[in-house]
Amino acid sequence: MALRELKVCLLGDTGVGKTSIVWRFVEDSFDPNINPTIGASFMTKTVQYQNELHKFLIWDTAGQERFRALAPMYYRGSAAAVIVYDITKEDSFQTLKNWVKELRQHGPPNIVVAIAGNKCDLSDAREVSEKDAKDYAESIHAIFVETSAKNAININEVFTEISKRIPVVDAAGGSSAKSIKLGRQVSESRKTCC
Amino acid sequence: MALQGSEEMGEPVEEPEDLDDQDAASISPAEEITMPPGPGGEEGSEQAPLLPWDRFSAWLHCICVVGFDLELGQAVEVSGVPKTLWSDMKSYICYLSFPDSNSGCLGDTQFCFRFRQGSNRKSSQGCFLETADRDAPPCLKREQGHYYGYVYFRQVRDKSLKRGYFQKSLVLISKLPYVTFFHCLLKIMAPEYFEKQEPCLEAACNDMDRWPAPHPGRILTLPIMGVVIKVRIPTCYDKPGTSQLVQSAQGDSLVSIVLPTIHEVDLFRCFHPVFFHIQMLWELVLLGEALVVMAPSPAESSDTVLALVSCISPLRYCSDFRPYFTIHDSEFKEYTTRTQAPPSVILGVTNPFFAKTLQHWPHIIRIGDMKQTGERPAQMKVKKLKNLKTLDSKPGVYTAYKPYLSKDEEIIKQLQKGVQQKRPSAAQNAILRRYFLELTQSFIIPLERYVASLMPLQKSICPWKSPPQLRPFNQQDFMKTLEKAGPQLTSRLKGDWIGLYRCFLKSPNFDGWFRSRRKEMTQKLEALHLEALCEEDLQQRIQKHTEVEAVDLVLKLKDKLTQAEREQLPLQPGTLTKLRSHIEALIRTLPEDLQGILHKPPTP
């Protein structure tokens, strides 16, 4: 079985739960009191997708403003970016849109974008409607899911969807990125919680 | 956390010595920040959990930034480094991190330097590093008395600055001689740092503080600033000349980088300007002769010095070597004095001042600009020293040395053919490296064989006597073995091998090699002795003896246990467990009051 290393970065405002999402995905654990990330932290997880092994090299970036300028180091060469916002914070959704813009301008041309509306367990305090977010995601052909790292909702799904959209390596070694990307525009947000 | 300790910032710093009569003083590096190695001077105790910066410290002593600032002048801002660890080092680091003269260093330059560790400084490496070091090949062990500085220097025009130039160096200070690895690391870190400043260093330090320890033999995955570096530190059990890590075809350097070597420099590129003389250079290095490399830039001087030092691998070069030596080095006076014979060291210099200062040195290598590698090296003949007078002297080797071995024309022809056929540099390097390896091995095998014969026979090991001693090294006896089992068995080279050995036996390289062999063999003897002891029926034996003798035995065994653990003796698995149960069993045979005393841990 072929092993592919896929660089994935997590972007988004400070405190939206990027690190928690990675911990849930990699360690299946949750800690409500984690420290803010410095620079970025790195973790890996290998999953099987069809007849390939996808080893995700996950760069979980710091959301704090002072590390903002470092982001290109992490999305450079990335096969996918998970942009996270907090459904209880409208601001974090605006930040997300800025990240999308930056990726479009400076990111790798074929990067798979996944939008994760985290903390969906706190729907009482919701500020971002699911429909608005979903419409936005569709308009930019991004994967969309609402997640809860705390309750382990939709976390694995984010990465499964990414695996699905990763271009297949053809026999010649190149990737047929464009055709696949266009062919799979519709992002499903199955299993909505709340 | 990385930028804590700002109370130390901005302190005034003593002016470095005034050296303005020399060209070298035209740059006076100043300022800036340093990342912390963690709480200073901590003693690594065995079971202590890893503290923040312990992992970082396993790789690096510190990171510093050296810049030039007209307004700040001579001021170094230090952040987070305990003063004791830093104050005596910072002036060397400042000067060693900048090229001696401006010429030819526009753009980015990478080089390395090495400097002596202050005598009052305690080494703070934990036990887990000593274990790691044991498996490393001799030339890759952690440096005991020296630090390496790995430099990434950038000099570009910048009209916004008063001086008209941006000049800055990012410097990694480490005891590890992993030159290729650290240069690769700097190539990732430095350009980002120059653009994005402190948060970048903070992120990098944070990445490194989660790295696994530098254990030989494992494939290490080292994430740094968005890229994963994969390396394998060789072990002393590897077959020399093989690489266990190969770059896969579809590598994306923005995702991960596989380094086939952590320390090997490109020998062919480095020796290209003097390649007619490589075999003589090998002899000079082997014998620990005083050697100076005069090069146009620190990059070339440090590459060439490292190439020289590594050409006798797997032998460790045991004298001091300075890939980039300046007039500001603390050993400047010691090494350049004319009142004594030149010391057994290899220096790399770029300052034209040295052409005069080191005029009396017996062997001088002058390197021109290496960038013109397409050209044939013109200097076939060894030059007379008296011809070396001015700065403009042509590249070449200046010496009166007569090699002991006759010249190997074949390797020269092979390399020349490669140049004509435009063989890739990597292939030329591999040829040259294999050539040196075979030459060194041909030379060292007879010594290995003789030293192995100094080991006492297994049957002479008696558990109830102290371990037998190694027989002493006898030069005459060794020379006699050369008649039948000398290097002629493995090398086609003719010449005065005996003379070469005689001279080698007096050199620091022999001394260093023999010391480490003797240590290994003594430990092997200790291990065999301990294993033999553990096979005995100690209880039965002790029945016939007095209580005092039993106590004595228990104490001796406890000593053995401590020694075995401390020195990591090469024991069969299970030996220590056996030893512990022997000790327990013996203690149980004694009266209760004695048991209590003997069970107590030994007082430190």
Side-chain angles (χ1 to χ4, degrees):
Chain A
M1 202 178 301
L3 176 80
R4 288 174 71 185
E5 290 191 334
L6 301 171
K7 182 172 170 180
V8 177
C9 65
L10 276 88
L11 302 167
D13 230 342
T14 180
V16 297
K18 297 180 290 300
T19 303
S20 297
I21 288 176
V22 176
W23 274 45
R24 176 60 77 188
F25 176 57
V26 176
E27 307 269 352
D28 197 18
S29 69
F30 180 77
D31 176 354
N33 305 313
I34 40 179
N35 290 324
T37 305
I38 294 171
S41 62
F42 175 79
M43 287 186 135
T44 65
K45 178 162 175 168
T46 306
V47 297
Q48 187 174 345
Y49 177 72
Q50 293 178 348
N51 58 349
E52 281 186 333
L53 289 176
H54 285 175
K55 180 175 183 185
F56 289 112
L57 310 177
I58 307 168
W59 288 92
D60 163 31
T61 69
Q64 288 172 311
E65 190 53 36
R66 66 193 173 107
F67 295 113
R68 182 68 180 73
L70 303 188
M73 303 188 312
Y74 304 111
Y75 62 65
R76 205 183 287 154
S78 280
V82 180
I83 315 180
V84 185
Y85 70 97
D86 176 349
I87 66 153
T88 70
K89 291 209 171 70
E90 172 67 30
D91 284 357
S92 67
F93 191 64
Q94 294 309 317
T95 309
L96 172 139
K97 288 181 176 171
N98 292 336
W99 278 120
V100 172
K101 261 185 228 152
E102 177 165 344
L103 281 182
R104 289 282 175 260
Q105 280 170 12
H106 305 291
N110 300 321
I111 191 166
V112 174
V113 175
I115 290 176
N118 197 31
K119 309 197 188 177
C120 71
D121 50 296
L122 303 174
S123 64
D124 290 350
R126 178 188 286 277
E127 286 183 8
V128 183
S129 91
E130 188 177 354
K131 182 170 184 308
D132 288 354
K134 192 175 169 185
D135 288 350
Y136 173 74
E138 272 178 25
S139 76
I140 61 158
H141 315 307
I143 299 165
F144 174 73
V145 251
E146 286 202 344
T147 57
S148 165
K150 188 179 172 192
N151 295 349
I153 298 163
N154 277 346
I155 301 295
N156 289 336
E157 282 73 4
V158 176
F159 290 88
T160 315
E161 287 302 315
I162 289 174
S163 279
K164 281 187 196 164
R165 289 211 191 183
I166 293 296
V168 183
V169 180
D170 63 35
S175 59
S176 48
K178 274 171 194 156
S179 58
I180 296 230
K181 199 179 167 201
L182 293 173
R184 289 229 186 117
Q185 283 171 1
V186 187
S187 47
E188 317 99 285
S189 62
R190 307 158 300 137
K191 261 214 225 170
T192 40
C193 61
C194 332
Chain B
M1 179 197 284
L3 288 165
Q4 269 172 9
S6 53
E7 72 273 10
E8 293 213 16
M9 286 179 76
E11 52 169 333
V13 166
E14 65 277 23
E15 293 262 321
E17 287 173 283
D18 194 16
L19 287 149
D20 51 2
D21 54 330
Q22 278 115 36
D23 297 356
S26 65
I27 286 179
S28 18
E31 77 159 352
E32 220 151 84
I33 44 163
T34 301
M35 309 306 287
E42 77 272 28
E43 298 272 67
S45 76
E46 279 159 310
Q47 265 83 38
L50 287 178
L51 295 166
W53 300 115
D54 270 2
R55 286 168 177 271
F56 176 93
S57 305
W59 289 87
L60 286 184
H61 178 72
C62 66
I63 299 181
C64 33
V65 177
V66 179
F68 185 87
D69 190 315
L70 276 179
E71 276 148 47
L72 277 176
Q74 311 272 17
V76 180
E77 287 172 31
V78 180
S79 162
V81 176
K83 237 178 133 188
T84 48
L85 285 181
W86 175 248
S87 57
D88 57 333
M89 271 160 59
K90 69 188 158 197
S91 61
Y92 320 140
I93 293 178
C94 270
Y95 286 105
L96 286 166
S97 301
F98 261 51
D100 248 350
S101 57
N102 286 346
S103 58
C105 281
L106 262 187
D108 291 357
T109 310
Q110 288 192 258
F111 59 94
C112 87
F113 59 83
R114 188 168 173 268
F115 62 98
R116 202 179 276 174
Q117 178 178 8
S119 52
N120 55 351
R121 200 172 300 121
K122 258 191 278 177
S123 165
S124 65
Q125 52 175 293
C127 266
F128 72 108
L129 294 178
E130 279 163 33
T131 335
D133 231 25
R134 193 191 50 182
D135 296 333
C139 59
L140 284 180
K141 289 191 196 296
R142 199 168 279 272
E143 286 273 348
Q144 289 309 322
H146 290 85
Y147 286 104
Y148 282 88
Y150 301 98
V151 183
Y152 192 104
F153 170 70
R154 172 171 286 182
Q155 174 163 270
V156 286
R157 273 187 195 285
D158 185 341
K159 287 192 181 134
S160 68
L161 297 174
K162 261 193 185 169
R163 196 178 165 84
Y165 283 97
F166 171 93
Q167 296 169 313
K168 208 168 257 197
S169 286
L170 184 66
V171 188
L172 309 178
I173 307 289
S174 175
K175 294 213 146 191
L176 298 170
Y178 306 163
V179 54
T180 315
F181 167 73
F182 284 114
H183 279 329
C184 165
L185 186 60
L186 275 172
K187 213 174 256 170
I188 297 169
M189 286 172 64
E192 295 287 350
Y193 166 72
F194 291 137
E195 254 176 60
K196 291 156 191 167
Q197 311 298 316
E198 279 78 71
C200 205
L201 280 194
E202 210 181 329
C205 290
N206 201 60
D207 285 337
M208 286 185 242
D209 201 33
R210 272 172 292 176
W211 282 3
H215 267 288
R218 298 182 196 159
I219 291 173
L220 305 173
T221 300
L222 311 171
I224 181 82
M225 297 167 76
V227 181
V228 177
I229 307 178
K230 286 179 204 164
V231 294
R232 181 184 174 279
I233 298 162
T235 70
C236 50
Y237 317 109
D238 291 356
K239 193 167 165 269
T242 56
S243 172
Q244 316 239 341
L245 210 54
V246 183
Q247 173 94 50
S248 61
Q250 40 113 312
D252 178 352
S253 65
L254 299 173
V255 178
S256 60
I257 296 170
V258 180
L259 278 186
T261 170
I262 56 159
H263 66 292
E264 287 175 350
V265 291
D266 185 337
L267 288 181
F268 181 70
R269 189 177 52 81
C270 298
F271 284 139
H272 188 261
V274 289
F275 92 60
F276 288 107
H277 312 299
I278 44 173
Q279 197 189 323
M280 176 172 75
L281 294 177
W282 176 84
E283 282 190 22
L284 292 175
V285 176
L286 182 75
L287 300 178
E289 287 283 323
L291 200 54
V292 60
V293 176
M294 298 185 179
S297 83
E300 281 137 3
S301 81
S302 61
D303 276 356
T304 309
V305 170
L306 291 172
L308 286 168
V309 166
S310 73
C311 79
I312 58 165
S313 162
L315 264 184
R316 181 189 180 123
Y317 179 78
C318 295
S319 299
D320 195 4
F321 58 97
R322 304 298 175 96
Y324 176 50
F325 188 73
T326 76
I327 54 177
H328 304 281
D329 262 279
S330 52
E331 280 73 52
F332 175 71
K333 286 210 178 88
E334 180 187 334
Y335 285 171
T336 56
T337 176
R338 280 171 181 263
T339 55
Q340 284 168 353
S344 167
V345 293
I346 302 179
L347 302 182
V349 301
T350 64
N351 194 329
F353 179 73
F354 281 106
K356 217 174 147 194
T357 321
L358 299 180
Q359 225 172 8
H360 62 295
W361 274 39
H363 320 291
I364 296 171
I365 302 174
R366 282 204 76 102
I367 304 262
D369 199 340
M370 271 195 223
K371 279 161 200 154
Q372 316 140 356
T373 41
E375 283 173 32
R376 277 170 60 106
Q379 307 305 318
M380 295 208 33
K381 282 193 182 151
V382 173
K383 303 192 170 196
K384 297 264 163 57
L385 271 163
K386 59 176 189 222
N387 292 338
L388 182 80
K389 279 178 188 143
T390 55
L391 307 175
D392 315 318
S393 295
K394 286 186 177 157
V397 180
Y398 294 77
T399 178
Y401 178 81
K402 292 269 173 297
Y404 287 95
L405 303 182
S406 51
K407 195 160 184 171
D408 189 343
E409 301 291 347
E410 269 180 55
I411 181 69
I412 302 292
K413 273 186 209 151
Q414 202 183 355
L415 289 173
Q416 270 180 315
K417 206 169 154 197
V419 174
Q420 284 157 10
Q421 297 172 340
K422 302 215 159 39
R423 191 186 286 145
S425 181
Q428 294 277 74
N429 174 46
I431 292 170
L432 191 50
R433 194 165 280 284
R434 196 174 55 234
Y435 169 76
F436 280 132
L437 179 66
E438 285 171 6
L439 188 55
T440 308
Q441 281 180 329
S442 296
F443 180 79
I444 206 72
I445 286 170
L447 275 163
E448 295 274 13
R449 205 181 286 130
Y450 171 73
V451 168
S453 75
L454 301 178
M455 188 86 165
L457 296 174
Q458 175 109 32
K459 66 182 180 199
S460 69
I461 295 171
C462 167
W464 303 109
K465 286 182 194 153
S466 31
Q469 299 280 307
L470 278 185
R471 289 189 289 116
F473 189 100
N474 181 306
Q475 187 169 335
Q476 250 86 56
D477 291 353
F478 166 65
M479 292 297 181
K480 261 182 236 151
T481 68
L482 292 176
E483 289 161 25
K484 277 185 187 152
Q488 69 275 12
L489 295 181
T490 46
S491 176
R492 59 171 182 269
L493 280 188
K494 298 275 182 277
D496 183 10
W497 285 95
I498 303 282
L500 187 63
Y501 279 112
R502 208 162 268 145
C503 199
F504 176 73
L505 294 183
K506 286 181 235 148
S507 77
N509 288 334
F510 169 73
D511 190 55
W513 172 82
F514 183 61
R515 265 170 210 269
S516 76
R517 273 290 170 282
R518 194 171 48 196
K519 188 177 164 202
E520 277 169 30
M521 290 163 76
T522 311
Q523 288 191 336
K524 183 71 193 163
L525 279 174
E526 293 279 354
L528 289 172
H529 179 254
L530 193 53
E531 280 159 16
L533 195 60
C534 287
E535 291 308 315
E536 292 289 305
D537 189 343
L538 299 182
Q539 271 166 283
Q540 198 206 342
R541 186 178 168 99
I542 213 68
Q543 279 166 4
K544 302 173 208 148
H545 289 76
T546 65
E547 198 175 285
V548 178
E549 281 168 312
V551 172
D552 186 57
L553 180 61
V554 168
L555 293 177
K556 276 192 181 138
L557 291 178
K558 277 187 156 189
D559 279 350
K560 289 251 173 219
L561 183 66
T562 327
Q563 185 203 7
E565 281 168 343
R566 189 183 59 231
E567 292 179 18
Q568 302 277 333
L569 290 186
L571 292 160
Q572 298 285 341
T575 308
L576 288 185
T577 321
K578 256 187 224 164
L579 182 59
R580 278 192 206 95
S581 57
H582 273 310
I583 294 174
E584 279 304 306
L586 284 176
I587 292 178
R588 275 196 302 274
T589 63
L590 292 165
E592 262 184 39
D593 56 333
L594 273 176
Q595 283 192 25
I597 295 168
L598 289 171
H599 268 129
K600 263 193 238 158
T603 42

